[in-house]
Amino acid sequence: MNRPKAFYGQLIHENCPRRAYYDEQKFAKKLSDPGCLYELGCKGPVTHADCPLRMWNHGVNWCVACGGLCIGCACEGFPDLVSPIYEKTADITLPNIGQRVVQ
Amino acid sequence: MGRIVIDPITRIEGHLKVEVMVDNGEVKEAKSSGTLFRGFEIILKGRDPRDANRITQRICGVCPTSHSTASTLCLDSAFGLGGSIPDNGRLIRNLILGAAHIADHILHFYHLTALDYVDVTKVAKYESNDATLISVRDFIGRGELGPFVPRYEGDYRFPTEVDQQLVAHYIEALRMRRKAQEMCSIFGGKMPHNMSIVPGGVTEVPTVDKIASFLWRINEIRTFIDNLYLPDVLAVAEVYSDYFEIGAGCRNLLSYGGYELDGREADLTKRKRLFKQGTVGADLKLGTIDSSAVTEDVKHSWYDDSTSGRKPTEGETIPKEGKDGAYSWIKSPRYNGQVYEVGPLARIMTTYVAGDQKVKALIDPALAKFKAGPEVMFSVLGRHLARALGAKIVADMMPSWLLELKPGEPVYQEYEIPEESTGMGLVEAARGALGHWIEIKDKRIANYQCVVPSTWNMSPRDDKGQPGPLEQALTGTQVRDEENPFELVRIVRSFDPCLACAIHLITPKGKTLSEFRVV
């Protein structure tokens, strides 16, 4: 998509503050709960953007931090390719996850 | 008879063309055209109903919060959740919407409208040591006139030092808007396009640190509203007081009411709200609203005639570009077949004539300064005053909503999506009455219709030939200088039009270079 890698090089999932829940398979059962939002439909594992790092509005907040999950608005093909928004994304092989940062 | 075409109207949201016929300096006929087809209602068909909440926000990056609120109320009612939203959820929705309204009102007065009254070029000669004004002077000195031109010449009435002071407030208002957006973000996740407001409540939980970080911001903004925004509106009103007599329009106002004060009433039209629901006419009497009396005509809009006169629940969007006699992509919403204006003026006046003491205590003394009664509110300045007072009323309520929040208590109520259902969400957007209607079949969206504030205000003639509110407000206006039709743009901008997202490239002389259609 010819976007600068500095901002779009990594997946939301790679820098997500709720990543530890995912790794421990602790999934939120309903919106507003703590836990990983993947099973409620979070598109963080397929969306390339740096929202968890830069955050929004002067670093005040961002979608996953407010419990609202990532809807993949920075994905090519939004909204068709990332909807239904509130349904779990089909099991996917996550690129670049679990690789060593320094080779 | 002369013809004045203003296309596009700048310093508004979206793309609006206004065309008037002038005879001996008086506007005889006015046409308001929205020149961009969006088609969001078509995009929504067949989707998961919950997605409407996120997608309708993308109608606009200025007022997404209002769309998410209308859409959520609509889904609440379709999912049978009306009356069971936890108090925390209701209050956080109010706080997010309130922050968005305040940001919008400050944006409108300072950054979209004020330059019709304030001569920014006076700052070029600024010689004292205010850092803000020095930076604006240097900005102008570099020839960067971007936000300030093109403009009309010949009717800037303030003395130099007042103009300079108001430009400094223009810059301060940018900082205040940023704080208001941060407030949206604290509980909404981000602005534009919050993620927190969902059917059932909200997703963000209140914590003491979030409440505190919201509270200091709202208190700063309240100081700004009391010490700068309201006095500045009154200063404009004093020097341009003839605008209390210009741009009255249809003198029929309609408000859906907004900000839920009661979470237990299932029927949203009966819910207690900060701004009252109702209609107000020239007689200043409060009328009740029956939402089923809203219809949309399309005789003069580029949609198929077979869809004319329908209620939003039965509405259809069938575009027919180039239809004979049509001149706009905007439909013509009517209430009981009559023309109604919506906006801050409508919600303030319904609340005023409903006898709300707080609103009365704000409006009466403000008008007493001009030795005028509430009837002058039907005017350009009336709309600006109502907007500023609306910002104050909401801002003053927010600390108490914040302190009502109970950390640790639920913000969200679970639900099942029904196989079949219908829903309606009515709310006041910053620019006025906003309605969303949904029909669900097989757990999918079978039909979705939005009737938005600027559709009411900027609407073209209806099937009976009655001009829309803006068209009526322009008709009869005396234009002193046809080369510089200040009167017309001041009337248009007093409505705070929001037509959302046209993409045009324009040369400095106003020639259209190219046009793109976003369907």
Side-chain angles (χ1 to χ4, degrees):
Chain A
M1 287 172 80
N2 293 320
R3 294 193 295 203
K5 278 193 177 159
F7 307 118
Y8 296 96
Q10 289 183 302
L11 291 164
I12 297 274
H13 194 60
E14 290 178 81
N15 296 303
C16 184
R18 296 198 187 206
R19 178 62 188 272
Y21 290 122
Y22 176 87
D23 291 343
E24 293 183 13
Q25 301 285 293
K26 285 183 180 160
F27 296 108
K29 292 278 176 277
K30 65 171 187 351
L31 291 173
S32 81
D33 280 353
C36 171
L37 299 163
Y38 178 59
E39 296 206 329
L40 296 175
C42 184
K43 308 296 183 272
V46 293
T47 304
H48 287 88
D50 65 350
C51 305
L53 301 179
R54 271 194 299 157
M55 313 224 284
W56 281 73
N57 311 107
H58 245 181
V60 168
N61 212 345
W62 72 289
C63 303
V64 171
C66 87
L69 58 84
C70 168
I71 68 170
C73 72
C75 277
E76 195 172 9
F78 172 86
D80 294 350
L81 293 184
V82 286
S83 58
I85 291 167
Y86 293 96
E87 294 290 339
K88 185 182 165 187
T89 315
D91 278 335
I92 30 172
T93 317
L94 300 174
N96 307 322
I97 302 287
Q99 286 180 3
R100 284 168 62 102
V101 175
V102 183
Q103 296 291 336
Chain B
M1 194 145 14
R3 183 164 159 263
I4 303 175
V5 180
I6 311 174
D7 181 21
I9 300 262
T10 54
R11 279 191 273 113
I12 61 163
E13 306 306 322
H15 188 59
L16 178 72
K17 170 180 153 188
V18 164
E19 191 177 333
V20 301
M21 302 302 285
V22 182
D23 193 14
N24 281 332
E26 188 184 312
V27 175
K28 294 292 178 195
E29 191 189 318
K31 278 183 176 175
S32 145
S33 308
T35 52
L36 188 86
F37 174 63
R38 312 287 313 288
F40 265 75
E41 292 151 336
I42 298 170
I43 293 172
L44 286 166
K45 278 193 177 181
R47 290 181 190 272
D48 184 318
R50 293 170 295 181
D51 293 3
N53 194 320
R54 305 275 80 86
I55 290 174
T56 55
Q57 286 198 62
R58 275 135 181 106
I59 287 174
C60 178
V62 178
C63 40
T65 318
S66 303
H67 280 292
S68 75
T69 307
S71 183
T72 296
L73 291 172
C74 178
L75 295 172
D76 279 351
S77 75
F79 298 164
L81 288 165
S84 56
I85 306 302
D87 281 341
N88 273 346
R90 171 179 63 83
L91 292 163
I92 288 178
R93 285 179 181 179
N94 283 351
L95 289 164
I96 299 172
L97 184 64
H101 277 196
I102 292 167
D104 261 14
H105 290 345
I106 295 174
L107 156 77
H108 177 258
F109 180 70
Y110 284 99
H111 306 123
L112 302 182
T113 279
L115 296 177
D116 287 344
Y117 305 92
V118 176
D119 184 0
V120 69
T121 62
K122 300 254 187 73
V123 180
K125 298 188 196 93
Y126 182 71
E127 281 175 347
S128 197
N129 54 7
D130 180 287
T132 302
L133 287 173
I134 290 170
S135 70
V136 176
R137 182 193 67 199
D138 294 348
F139 182 83
I140 297 172
R142 291 195 296 271
E144 295 177 60
L145 289 166
F148 309 132
V149 291
R151 63 172 203 172
Y152 296 132
E153 301 294 344
D155 188 29
Y156 298 103
R157 305 180 193 170
F158 284 119
T160 299
E161 58 277 17
V162 177
D163 271 327
Q164 291 177 342
Q165 200 178 42
L166 286 168
V167 171
H169 296 176
Y170 173 109
I171 303 296
E172 179 63 9
L174 289 170
R175 298 188 190 108
M176 288 300 136
R177 268 172 65 196
R178 191 185 71 204
K179 293 220 164 80
Q181 306 286 47
E182 287 166 10
M183 280 165 24
C184 288
S185 195
I186 289 168
F187 288 120
K190 72 177 170 72
M191 179 68 195
H193 309 136
N194 83 77
M195 276 307 300
S196 180
I197 300 178
V198 289
V202 297
T203 65
E204 182 62 291
V205 292
T207 55
V208 173
D209 65 303
K210 281 176 205 143
I211 293 171
S213 99
F214 198 107
L215 191 60
W216 70 258
R217 285 178 171 89
I218 187 60
N219 282 336
E220 232 176 85
I221 289 176
R222 288 171 70 202
T223 307
F224 172 84
I225 293 173
D226 286 343
N227 295 345
L228 300 184
Y229 183 11
L230 270 170
D232 287 349
V233 172
L234 294 174
V236 167
E238 214 161 290
V239 174
Y240 293 86
S241 58
D242 42 329
Y243 281 84
F244 272 123
E245 288 152 32
I246 293 176
C250 60
R251 292 177 196 269
N252 269 337
L253 306 171
L254 179 144
S255 158
Y256 287 151
Y259 298 105
E260 321 269 283
L261 304 179
D262 159 22
R264 300 285 81 86
E265 170 57 59
D267 181 350
L268 70 85
T269 62
K270 295 192 182 119
R271 225 168 268 165
K272 201 172 162 222
R273 289 176 153 185
L274 178 65
F275 291 119
K276 305 291 178 250
Q277 187 180 70
T279 59
V280 179
D283 59 359
L284 296 176
K285 294 250 162 56
L286 184 69
T288 52
I289 288 189
D290 169 11
S291 61
S292 67
V294 175
T295 53
E296 288 189 295
D297 285 355
V298 299
K299 186 174 172 187
H300 298 280
S301 320
W302 289 304
Y303 298 98
D304 196 276
D305 279 334
S306 67
T307 62
S308 201
R310 293 200 194 171
K311 296 173 184 179
T313 44
E314 302 152 357
E316 250 186 296
T317 305
I318 306 176
K320 207 168 179 189
E321 197 182 352
K323 189 178 88 178
D324 267 357
Y327 57 93
S328 184
W329 282 113
I330 302 174
K331 298 179 183 178
S332 301
R334 296 292 183 258
Y335 180 70
N336 272 336
Q338 300 299 311
V339 182
Y340 278 84
E341 174 183 339
V342 301
L345 178 62
R347 61 177 169 268
I348 290 293
M349 290 311 284
T350 45
T351 313
Y352 177 86
V353 302
D356 187 290
Q357 289 307 314
K358 220 187 286 173
V359 173
K360 247 178 117 47
L362 287 171
I363 290 201
D364 289 343
L367 291 177
K369 285 192 180 59
F370 304 97
K371 297 187 176 55
E375 64 286 345
V376 302
M377 292 298 283
F378 296 100
S379 64
V380 167
L381 287 174
R383 291 185 191 100
H384 291 306
L385 185 57
R387 200 169 281 117
L389 293 175
K392 176 173 170 55
I393 290 164
V394 174
D396 287 351
M397 277 303 288
M398 285 165 99
S400 62
W401 287 334
L402 272 173
L403 298 176
E404 275 181 62
L405 288 172
K406 295 196 176 74
E409 301 271 314
V411 294
Y412 175 77
Q413 168 71 40
E414 283 187 281
Y415 56 86
E416 292 278 323
I417 301 175
E419 283 290 329
E420 286 192 11
S421 189
T422 56
M424 173 177 80
L426 303 178
V427 75
E428 282 289 302
R431 293 170 183 80
L434 170 65
H436 283 205
W437 285 265
I438 195 172
E439 187 187 353
I440 298 171
K441 275 187 186 151
D442 302 328
K443 298 195 176 196
R444 296 274 149 179
I445 299 173
N447 198 11
Y448 202 98
Q449 291 286 316
C450 313
V451 181
V452 308
S454 293
T455 316
W456 288 91
N457 288 341
M458 308 299 127
S459 61
R461 280 154 181 71
D462 56 29
D463 290 11
K464 288 190 269 185
Q466 303 179 98
L470 172 65
E471 294 178 336
Q472 292 193 27
L474 290 166
T475 307
T477 304
Q478 292 289 335
V479 179
R480 267 184 289 185
D481 173 5
E482 291 182 21
E483 292 296 310
N484 292 287
F486 269 109
E487 296 85 358
L488 303 184
V489 288
R490 284 172 181 163
I491 292 171
V492 174
R493 292 200 185 102
S494 74
F495 282 89
D496 192 5
C498 183
L499 293 109
C501 310
I503 310 165
H504 273 226
L505 295 177
I506 311 253
T507 65
K509 283 180 186 154
K511 185 180 149 218
T512 302
L513 280 179
S514 53
E515 271 180 45
F516 302 92
R517 171 149 304 129
V518 182
V519 177

